[in-house]
Amino acid sequence: MKHPIVTLLIKLTAVIILVQTLYFKFTGAEESVYIFSTLGAEPFGRIGSGIVELIASILILIPRTTLLGALLGLGTMFGAIASHLFILGIEVKNDGGTLFILAVITFVCCAVLVFQNKNKIPDLLRFKI
């Protein structure tokens, strides 16, 4: 069941979390630089993931491209969660696990959006010229 208000809240939750992290990535905030340096991906990983998250946010908000944005967000958050679990740890620089929790919330929101739009997946696989 897709209730429009619930769907909008799920979209906004994912987008707000994705967009609020962009400031830290694009300004080279200490925590962000630390994370991507630890991952061996500073600065290109930090800026690249910021660009991907910005694109995902925009796509999620456009009804016709919500599925594509949610898939992008899902993949990006999977990478973030895996990085926390296997390299960074749940808590990064005494944040109390906030970044990890935000990644999980965004992952869940994107997963729900993918599930809600699963009937559109075949359309992604068709090439239209």
Side-chain angles (χ1 to χ4, degrees):
M1 182 170 130
K2 276 172 59 170
H3 192 280
I5 300 294
V6 173
T7 298
L8 179 62
L9 288 174
I10 292 168
K11 285 182 178 186
L12 289 176
T13 300
V15 167
I16 289 168
I17 292 170
L18 288 169
V19 168
Q20 67 92 21
T21 63
L22 295 180
Y23 172 79
F24 300 98
K25 287 184 176 160
F26 291 149
T27 61
E30 178 189 345
E31 298 86 359
S32 200
V33 170
Y34 170 80
I35 288 168
F36 286 93
S37 293
T38 302
L39 297 174
E42 173 61 30
F44 300 109
R46 174 175 51 84
I47 294 168
S49 69
I51 291 169
V52 170
E53 290 173 12
L54 176 60
I55 293 168
S57 298
I58 293 167
L59 293 174
I60 286 170
L61 291 174
I62 302 169
R64 190 171 177 178
T65 60
T66 295
L67 174 61
L68 190 54
L71 287 168
L72 257 171
L74 197 65
T76 305
M77 289 305 105
F78 178 79
I81 292 167
S83 295
H84 277 277
L85 292 176
F86 299 113
I87 300 168
L88 300 168
I90 301 296
E91 188 172 327
V92 177
K93 296 195 76 74
N94 299 317
D95 75 342
T98 301
L99 289 175
F100 177 76
I101 292 166
L102 291 173
V104 170
I105 290 168
T106 306
F107 182 88
V108 170
C109 289
C110 288
V112 169
L113 292 171
V114 168
F115 181 76
Q116 286 181 340
N117 292 278
K118 67 183 179 290
N119 60 326
K120 296 179 184 175
I121 291 174
D123 294 338
L124 291 178
L125 303 175
R126 281 191 219 131
F127 295 102
K128 296 179 184 176
I129 299 176

